[in-house]
Amino acid sequence: MSLRYIAASLGLSVTTVSRALAGYSDVAEETRRRVKAEAERIGYVPNAIARRLQKGRTDAVGVVAPAGSDAISDAYLYTAIISAWGRLSELDRDLVMLPSNSNGGRGSESRMLRRAVEERRVDGLLLLRTRRDDWRLPYLRAANFPFVVFGARHEDMPDVTAIGIDDEMATDEVLARLAAFSHRRVALIAPDGEYAFADSRKLAFAERAAAHGLQLLPITAEFSEDGGRAVTSRLLSMADHPTAFVYFANRMALGGLLAISDSILVPGRHVSVISYGDNPNLLYASPPVTAVRAPVEAMMRHAVDVLIGEIEGKPVEPIRCWAPTLVRRQSDGPRTPDPGAGSGGTSTLETPVGGA
């Protein structure tokens, strides 16, 4: 059935029927009611492509997130993407996945993103896991293309809408907890790749460690379980190894926990382990891991609303900084002396920073 059929059956013009179904205010309410009732009666389904062309929009939002075989196993990314998908579905919008990688804007990632923007394949973008000096942000601003950064605050670019957690609040809670447990040397383990969220957390720890009487040992490692395990093994081989380990990603924390289990040390007794990012794997680890939990679902639903508001010219005031929750479990606790002497050796890792 077509618009012409509805128009003929009601004695209206095709234009009036089309505008009534599109919800235009210049069509009388009674006419809109009649048109919609007839459309439902005959089972009329509007042509989505024609409708989108008429509106000048695709009714689709692109989600730019890391690609790769292990991306789907990343609990943070999975929760963020599923939350975006759910909210977009509620708003009758489609989700289009666009891959991201670490090639600095060269190659397939750049081509796909530029096509999406320049050919208007989507109405706006949600960017996950942005990096320091990320080429995409100035590019999208120059193109006047709607976008929202998710998971990092980018305070050096105040004109960019970026939504993340309150790193300062999380840092104060973590440092106060470790200081209360009599720890003094804290390994700060961040993923390599110049991620903006890691930079923000490093800065917050560097600014606050001395006030809590803690010394930091900042390290970077591969963004994976293997990366966390390898760097933790190296740290434990030091004669004066750190007694607290803070991981900026839960995947790295799980690997680090495995490295500790291979030693004679017991997490929660001889060493403490705290992870950023919570997921069920941390709850069922041995022991369950204390974690800084971000309200990922609520943050992403808000990010979608902010982006849709920008697309439609109906601004939604963004909440840029969200309070995290420190979920206390059994992987950290009051420090007791190591059960045996250290293995000795010297460290080739980065120079410690912070208070003694």
Side-chain angles (χ1 to χ4, degrees):
M1 296 293 182
S2 67
L3 291 178
R4 292 183 183 279
Y5 182 91
I6 298 173
S9 66
L10 297 177
L12 300 170
S13 70
V14 173
T15 300
T16 298
V17 170
S18 175
R19 295 182 71 81
L21 290 173
Y24 282 93
S25 59
D26 60 352
V27 179
E29 180 61 33
E30 175 60 21
T31 301
R32 283 205 301 270
R33 186 193 63 76
R34 291 175 58 216
V35 169
K36 290 180 179 179
E38 180 66 7
E40 290 176 3
R41 186 186 71 80
I42 67 174
Y44 170 76
V45 178
N47 185 305
I49 296 176
R51 183 180 59 193
R52 290 170 179 174
L53 286 173
Q54 185 182 48
K55 292 193 300 183
R57 294 203 300 265
T58 65
D59 286 340
V61 165
V63 175
V64 186
S69 59
D70 61 346
I72 195 64
S73 64
D74 188 310
Y76 181 88
L77 289 178
Y78 180 82
T79 302
I81 292 168
I82 290 298
S83 300
W85 190 9
R87 182 56 179 151
L88 287 167
S89 178
E90 293 172 2
L91 298 172
D92 199 24
R93 300 300 204 282
D94 295 330
L95 180 149
V96 176
M97 288 299 303
L98 297 170
S100 165
N101 52 46
S102 59
N103 63 11
R106 298 180 295 275
S108 61
E109 177 191 3
S110 174
R111 289 194 298 273
M112 290 188 70
L113 183 70
R114 291 176 188 276
R115 281 203 306 268
V117 171
E118 292 161 16
E119 297 175 13
R120 290 302 192 263
R121 296 187 177 191
V122 294
D123 298 323
L125 295 171
L126 293 163
L127 276 65
L128 283 66
R129 296 265 166 87
T130 51
R131 288 177 164 80
R132 181 191 320 144
D133 301 323
D134 198 309
W135 69 272
R136 297 168 297 184
L137 307 190
Y139 165 71
L140 292 170
R141 282 188 305 181
N144 196 29
F145 196 80
F147 73 98
V148 171
V149 170
F150 182 83
R153 286 159 53 194
H154 283 282
E155 292 183 343
D156 59 325
M157 303 178 73
D159 55 337
V160 167
T161 301
I163 294 172
I165 67 167
D166 188 330
D167 287 310
E168 292 76 16
M169 176 188 292
T171 299
D172 281 332
E173 287 200 53
V174 169
L175 289 175
R177 185 168 172 83
L178 293 176
F181 288 153
S182 299
H183 293 286
R184 290 296 174 264
R185 284 170 57 79
V186 180
L188 207 61
I189 303 171
D192 54 19
E194 299 183 342
Y195 290 100
F197 77 86
D199 282 356
S200 179
R201 290 172 192 173
K202 286 179 187 176
L203 179 61
F205 272 91
E207 291 177 342
R208 288 164 169 74
H212 292 273
L214 294 172
Q215 182 186 69
L216 299 180
L217 193 60
I219 313 295
T220 58
E222 179 184 305
F223 199 159
S224 67
E225 292 85 353
D226 287 343
R229 184 177 186 178
V231 76
T232 303
S233 294
R234 290 171 57 202
L235 288 165
L236 291 174
S237 72
M238 298 168 57
D240 186 20
H241 64 74
T243 60
F245 297 81
V246 177
Y247 299 86
F248 283 176
N250 52 55
R251 299 181 62 187
M252 301 177 76
L254 288 169
L257 199 64
L258 188 59
I260 295 169
S261 72
D262 290 337
S263 74
I264 59 175
L265 305 178
V266 178
R269 185 184 303 172
H270 309 116
V271 295
S272 284
V273 172
I274 297 179
S275 169
Y276 271 75
D278 194 16
N279 73 52
N281 290 333
L282 298 186
L283 176 60
Y284 294 107
S286 180
V289 179
T290 294
V292 177
R293 177 188 293 167
V296 178
E297 182 176 358
M299 288 168 59
M300 179 54 84
R301 290 176 64 87
H302 176 67
V304 169
D305 288 344
V306 170
L307 180 59
I308 295 300
E310 184 175 345
I311 291 167
E312 295 184 344
K314 302 173 182 176
V316 174
E317 185 65 28
I319 302 172
R320 297 174 180 269
C321 191
W322 292 66
T325 302
L326 183 61
V327 183
R328 297 165 175 82
R329 298 193 178 109
Q330 289 76 55
S331 65
D332 62 337
R335 182 188 170 225
T336 60
D338 288 3
S343 59
T346 58
S347 170
T348 59
L349 302 174
E350 298 177 43
T351 304
V353 299

